[in-house]
């Protein structure tokens, strides 16, 4: 059986080679500097239903996200398998095939690979980041026998927005960030089918206009549009996770509140179906949703 084993190995290597290379361009390599150790992250294996696509939600690099969540995966209860960015680099986080904490319990349990795309305002860099992101998602789907369909029914590649609409949560990434460079859902769906050359030459992105910083309120930490009210929210029996913000609120850090945890706030605002409370933590503006429709997820005092 030795010969047969060799053949199988050679065949497998040829497939990996074929899916890793598109149009002869250099395939991404994976940096394991910040990979979670064997004793870190969830030990629960996943089923092979979905590949989930995210963006990091803040103006931060792939390296920053990977290194931060190597340190803080437990305290923030968030990490994924891969962080892509910084000119087409790929950093690994949690182990493939084991649950990440990226999109809620059901999605996490069915997704062997979840991928975060880091941010940039540079179109040339984005073209490389986007190509690596697409190819990594595509290769992961092929590897786990998951269809290359985007946000369809059944198994396939899904955005976090699809998870929100079909399973759980309130995040809408990564479409908002992709739109910065003119990448539509239709383009993403097409690119996932074919893959892209990783020098960025096939990404055909548009150059964004960087917005000017909004003026900060001079006398108060309370964000514009929020109603001042000092209080403490005591969570109910279910954790609240908000890693990259939701609705139109964007956190500068991940936010997680454990069951029965307390959270001091100075103001609140209803955005869509959710009521968000706000606090300033070590100079950062932090938000967490506490009420959905008319249902409070805990008590206030
Ligand atoms: Zn997400």
């Amino acid at each position: 059986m030795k010969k047969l084993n060799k053949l199988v190995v050679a065949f497998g290597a040829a497939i990996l080679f074929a899916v890793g290379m598109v149009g002869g361009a250099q395939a991404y390599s994976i940096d394991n500097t910040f990979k979670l150790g064997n004793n870190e992250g969830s030990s629960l294996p996943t089923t092979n239903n979905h590949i989930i696509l995210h963006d990091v939600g803040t103006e931060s690099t792939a390296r920053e996200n990977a290194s931060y969540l190597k340190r803080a995966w437990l305290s923030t209860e968030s990490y994924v398998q891969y962080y892509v960015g910084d000119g087409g680099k790929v950093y690994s986080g949690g182990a493939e095939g084991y649950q990440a904490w990226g999109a809620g319990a059901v999605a996490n349990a069915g997704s062997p690979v979840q991928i975060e795309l880091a941010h940039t305002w540079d179109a040339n860099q984005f073209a490389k980041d986007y190509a690596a992101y697409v190819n990594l998602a595509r290769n992961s789907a092929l590897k786990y026998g998951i269809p290359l369909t985007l946000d369809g029914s059944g198994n396939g590649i899904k955005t976090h927005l699809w998870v929100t609409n079909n399973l759980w949560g309130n995040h809408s990434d990564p479409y908002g960030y992709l739109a910065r460079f003119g990448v539509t859902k239709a383009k993403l769906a097409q690119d996932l089918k074919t893959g892209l050359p990783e020098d960025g030459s096939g990404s055909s992105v548009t150059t964004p206009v960087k917005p000017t910083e909004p003026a900060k309120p001079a006398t108060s930490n309370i964000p514009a549009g929020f109603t001042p009210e000092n209080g403490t929210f005591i969570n109910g029996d279910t954790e609240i996770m908000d890693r990259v913000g939701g609705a139109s609120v964007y956190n500068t850090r991940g936010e997680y509140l454990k069951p029965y945890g307390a959270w001091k706030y100075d103001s609140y605002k209803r955005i869509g179906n959710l009521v968000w409370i706000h606090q300033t933590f070590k100079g950062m503006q932090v938000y967490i949703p506490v009420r959905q429709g008319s249902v409070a997820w805990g008590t206030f005092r």
Side-chain angles (χ1 to χ4, degrees):
M1 294 302 283
K2 245 185 182 163
K3 242 181 188 167
L4 181 61
N5 282 339
K6 256 187 188 161
L7 270 177
V8 169
V9 168
F11 183 59
I15 288 179
L16 279 179
F17 184 80
V19 300
M21 304 281 279
V22 180
Q26 176 66 48
Y28 55 82
S29 59
I30 293 174
D31 187 323
N32 289 319
T33 307
F34 306 109
K35 190 172 168 65
L36 297 190
N38 288 335
N39 55 342
E40 298 174 310
S42 172
S43 59
L44 298 171
T46 66
T47 54
N48 299 330
N49 301 345
H50 308 135
I51 305 297
I52 299 183
L53 301 177
H54 304 264
D55 76 81
V56 297
T58 57
E59 299 309 312
S60 55
T61 67
R63 189 184 173 87
E64 284 167 351
N65 280 273
S67 64
Y68 172 66
L69 292 170
K70 168 72 173 170
R71 279 179 283 123
W73 66 273
L74 184 58
S75 60
T76 63
E77 298 220 342
S78 58
Y79 65 95
V80 295
Q81 281 85 0
Y82 294 108
Y83 308 89
V84 177
D86 312 0
K89 295 201 172 101
V90 178
Y91 290 93
S92 49
E96 277 188 25
Y98 290 87
Q99 296 187 20
W101 295 341
V106 175
N108 293 342
S111 307
V113 173
Q114 301 191 39
I115 308 169
E116 290 274 7
L117 180 59
H119 281 201
T120 180
W121 284 100
D122 183 281
N124 289 328
Q125 186 195 317
F126 175 81
K128 293 175 188 164
D129 294 352
Y130 174 68
Y133 181 66
V134 162
N135 289 352
L136 176 61
R138 188 169 182 278
N139 293 346
S140 302
L142 291 170
K143 182 174 176 180
Y144 289 97
I146 293 169
L148 294 172
T149 53
L150 176 67
D151 288 357
S153 57
N155 292 358
I157 301 172
K158 312 293 187 187
T159 60
H160 202 166
L161 176 65
W162 182 93
V163 173
T164 295
N165 290 337
N166 292 275
L167 298 174
W168 178 86
N170 56 33
H171 291 198
S172 60
D173 55 306
Y175 288 121
Y177 174 63
L178 296 178
R180 182 185 290 183
F181 297 93
V183 174
T184 60
K185 182 178 178 181
K187 173 171 167 52
L188 177 61
Q190 179 59 33
D191 292 339
L192 287 167
K193 280 191 192 135
T194 60
L196 288 168
E198 286 179 23
D199 60 2
S201 61
S203 295
S204 64
V205 302
T206 58
T207 304
V209 178
K210 192 172 180 177
T212 50
E213 289 288 320
K216 286 184 181 129
T219 54
S220 162
N221 285 324
I222 292 173
F226 277 65
T227 304
E229 177 183 286
N230 286 311
T232 300
F233 172 74
I234 310 295
N235 195 13
D237 61 2
T238 306
E239 66 185 17
I240 299 174
M241 215 179 325
D242 179 55
R243 200 168 97 57
V244 293
S248 60
V249 174
Y250 288 92
N251 280 331
T252 52
R253 65 186 281 271
E255 196 51 40
Y256 165 78
L257 188 57
K258 63 188 176 187
Y260 309 110
W263 211 90
K264 276 196 169 184
Y265 64 95
D266 61 13
S267 56
Y268 68 90
K269 183 184 183 185
R270 176 175 288 277
I271 301 172
N273 196 32
L274 295 172
V275 173
W276 296 73
I277 53 177
H278 166 265
Q279 66 172 222
T280 303
F281 179 77
K282 293 183 180 171
M284 291 179 290
Q285 307 302 311
V286 190
Y287 310 82
I288 196 162
V290 292
R291 194 188 283 276
Q292 187 167 26
S294 59
V295 179
W297 293 343
T299 54
F300 300 86
R301 70 180 184 213

